[in-house]
């Protein structure tokens, strides 16, 4: 309401009451004004009322919500169902324009402001969580794999003669398929076993560069967050190789924002060597539904080029989700979640270690992996591959999700490439194992219930396997 509206309200109720209500509204508007002015991640989270107030006002700035608007175009953000309209806070125009994901839309001032604000907040997040030299970023309405494909397509435009992507092996289909989807040929670098850990074979990367020629290589595609016993790639060494050979470097940082170690690796690789872009999932790091990623880097021009590679407009839903989550958490709230995740990692490791010892197993020693923990499954000598698969099913049927049981000798073909020992990131990992991750949002109750159910399942599973033998 404006000043005239408040004066009119004073004809209805006492002036002192109106002024008190006016002051409350002014306090909320000042919080929003400060956000628009600073475009930084607020320390304290907004309450739902403030977030909804801002979203509603922004939505009213889009043409589909103008009083008396006469839309005669082919796309006027008309929404039939009010359920859908409310779900999207009446934003209907999406983000970006044809040819540029970060462009402003004349018909959607509110959506454009929301997009710009979300990208600014996301940039502040990445800087505050461990990569302070990040120059630019944007939220893309695709999950991590397709977001990486977008990065690779942008590289293709600047290196049209390149055919290959050098890729230290990580056994996740999307990581491999995003290379082939972009039209490149993957050059798989097998990992080196160091103790229990699977680590980057730097010498083989250098050999492949010498063999193929640097002009034929589109980029080196490395990884931070991953399932044990694989650990984050040696990013700093890869970054130095990329710098010395003038080869782009893309980093899959899918759920690495929640790990200070992963973020530090990216910062160091960029400081001493080369990192062109690093990509992180919105759902894995910021507690929102699946569907978005944040593409970031240290060269504004290159990040803008990636945005211009996206064809057409895009859904605003991931940006809206990210915007709401970041404002709701605030940097202090997120920091508490990160601290809690570290505590849960230590607690999960301790409790899972006790369970392993009780059942004649041991934890895999993977000190370079700050999120995922592995436990051997070797005590039951009579167990066969199908028995291990059954163990995973038994856990899932007891409402344990996220754990992975990895057997030896499971081969898989993906887009014409045959992987031996699929799931273990290695052709011949020494043992069968299961993994569990201490990810953001995990609670002590989650750990206690998981370890309790795992112990019961292990006892039943071993008895069943023994009887079968």
């Amino acid at each position: 309401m404006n000043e005239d509206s408040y004066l009119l309200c004073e004809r209805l109720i006492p002036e002192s009451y109106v002024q008190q209500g006016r002051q409350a509204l002014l306090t909320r508007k000042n919080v929003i004004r400060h956000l628009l002015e600073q475009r930084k991640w607020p320390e304290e989270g907004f309450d739902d009322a403030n977030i909804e107030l801002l979203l509603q006002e922004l939505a009213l700035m889009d043409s589909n919500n103008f009083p008396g608007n006469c839309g005669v175009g082919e796309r006027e953000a008309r929404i039939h169902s009010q359920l859908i309209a409310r779900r999207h806070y009446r934003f209907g125009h999406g983000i970006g324009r044809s040819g540029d994901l970060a462009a402003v839309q004349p018909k959607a001032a509110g959506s454009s402001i929301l997009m710009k604000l979300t990208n600014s907040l996301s940039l502040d997040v990445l800087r505050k969580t461990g990569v302070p030299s990040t120059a630019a970023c944007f939220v893309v309405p695709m999950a991590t794999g397709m977001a990486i494909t977008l990065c690779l397509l942008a590289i293709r435009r600047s290196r049209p003669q390149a055919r290959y992507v050098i890729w230290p092996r990580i056994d996740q289909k999307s990581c491999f398929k995003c290379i082939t989807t972009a039209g490149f040929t993957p050059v798989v670098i097998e990992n080196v076993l160091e103790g229990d850990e699977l680590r980057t074979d730097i010498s083989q990367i250098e050999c492949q560069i010498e063999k193929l020629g640097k002009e034929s290589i589109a980029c080196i595609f490395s990884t931070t967050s991953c399932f044990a016993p694989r650990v984050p790639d040696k990013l700093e060494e890869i970054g130095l190789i990329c710098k010395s050979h003038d080869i782009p470097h893309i980093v899959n940082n899918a759920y690495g924002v929640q790990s200070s170690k992963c973020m530090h690796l990216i910062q160091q690789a960029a400081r001493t060597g080369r990192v062109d872009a690093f990509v992180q999932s919105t759902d894995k790091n910021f507690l929102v539904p699946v569907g978005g990623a944040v593409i970031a880097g240290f060269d504004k021009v290159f990040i803008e080029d990636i945005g211009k590679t996206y064809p057409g407009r895009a859904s605003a839903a991931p940006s809206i989700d990210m915007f709401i989550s970041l404002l709701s958490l605030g940097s202090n709230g997120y920091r508490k979640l990160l601290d809690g995740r570290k505590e849960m990692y230590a607690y999960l490791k301790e409790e899972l270690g006790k369970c392993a010892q009780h059942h004649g197993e041991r934890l895999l020693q993977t000190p370079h992996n700050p999120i995922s923990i592995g436990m051997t499954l070797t005590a039951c000598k009579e167990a066969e591959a199908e028995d291990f698969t059954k163990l995973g099913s038994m856990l899932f049927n007891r409402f344990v999700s996220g754990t992975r049981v990895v057997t030896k000798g499971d081969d898989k073909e993906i887009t014409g490439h045959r992987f031996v020992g699929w799931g273990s990131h290695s052709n011949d990992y020494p043992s069968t194992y299961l993994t569990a991750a201490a990810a953001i949002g995990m609670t002590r109750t989650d750990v206690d219930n998981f370890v309790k159910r795992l112990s019961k399942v292990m006892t039943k599973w071993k008895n069943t396997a023994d009887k079968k033998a």
Side-chain angles (χ1 to χ4, degrees), residues 155 159 162-165 184 214-220 247-248:
I155 290 175
R159 298 172 74 89
R163 296 176 53 197
Y164 303 103
V165 171
F184 292 111
K214 65 180 184 180
E215 294 81 8
S216 68
I217 298 169
C219 72
I220 298 177
I247 296 173

Side-chain angles (χ1 to χ4, degrees), residues 17-221:
Y17 296 171
V18 173
Q19 291 304 315
Q20 185 181 40
R22 178 177 177 274
Q23 186 59 44
L25 287 172
L26 184 61
T27 299
R28 292 190 177 278
K29 289 180 179 180
N30 281 338
V31 171
I32 294 172
R33 180 189 60 78
H34 184 76
L35 174 68
L36 294 169
E37 182 179 77
Q38 299 296 321
R39 298 187 295 280
K40 300 291 184 183
W41 195 17
E43 290 186 1
E44 299 301 327
F46 285 20
D47 63 18
D48 289 351
N50 253 14
I51 295 173
E52 289 183 329
L53 175 63
L54 176 55
L55 289 172
Q56 288 166 2
E57 293 199 351
L58 289 176
L60 291 176
M61 295 174 68
D62 283 2
S63 63
N64 60 300
N65 298 311
F66 289 174
N69 183 65
C70 179
V72 294
E74 80 288 351
R75 185 190 52 78
E76 295 293 341
R78 297 184 178 98
I79 302 172
H80 168 72
S81 170
Q82 288 304 301
L83 286 175
I84 296 174
R86 289 197 299 272
R87 176 184 175 229
H88 294 277
Y89 287 91
R90 291 180 169 77
F91 291 104
H93 285 285
I95 59 172
R97 300 184 74 184
S98 180
D100 189 352
L101 195 58
V104 171
Q105 295 187 63
K107 290 195 294 186
S111 293
S112 298
I113 291 169
L114 184 142
M115 177 265 293
K116 293 288 186 181
L117 273 177
T118 303
N119 292 342
S120 293
L121 294 177
S122 300
L123 179 60
D124 203 31
V125 170
L126 297 176
R127 288 172 173 173
K128 286 181 175 178
T129 51
V131 191
S133 59
T134 306
C137 78
F138 64 95
V139 176
V140 60
M142 302 183 292
T144 310
M146 285 303 295
I148 292 170
T149 296
L150 195 66
C151 296
L152 295 175
L153 290 172
I155 290 175
R156 176 176 285 283
R157 294 198 300 178
S158 62
R159 298 172 74 89
Q161 303 304 316
R163 296 176 53 197
Y164 303 103
V165 171
I166 293 178
W167 178 65
R169 176 177 171 178
I170 175 170
D171 287 359
Q172 290 176 280
K173 290 181 184 178
S174 62
C175 301
F176 186 78
K177 290 173 73 174
C178 69
I179 301 172
T180 57
T181 301
F184 292 111
T185 300
V187 178
V188 182
I189 304 296
E190 291 295 333
N191 298 300
V192 177
L193 185 64
E194 297 180 7
D196 287 334
E197 292 184 325
L198 290 167
R199 307 209 67 189
T200 316
D201 191 337
I202 295 296
S203 64
Q204 277 302 307
I205 292 177
E206 292 175 327
C207 285
Q208 288 297 332
I209 293 173
E210 183 177 352
K211 175 184 175 181
L212 301 171
K214 65 180 184 180
E215 294 81 8
S216 68
I217 298 169
C219 72
I220 298 177
F221 175 23

Side-chain angles (χ1 to χ4, degrees), residues 15 32 40 77 109 115 147 170 234 262 282 291 307 345 354-355 418 436 458:
E15 178 184 354
I32 294 172
K40 300 291 184 183
M115 177 265 293
I170 175 170
K234 298 177 180 178
C262 290
T282 55
Y345 176 83
K354 293 176 184 177
C355 179
R418 182 170 175 266
M458 287 286 289

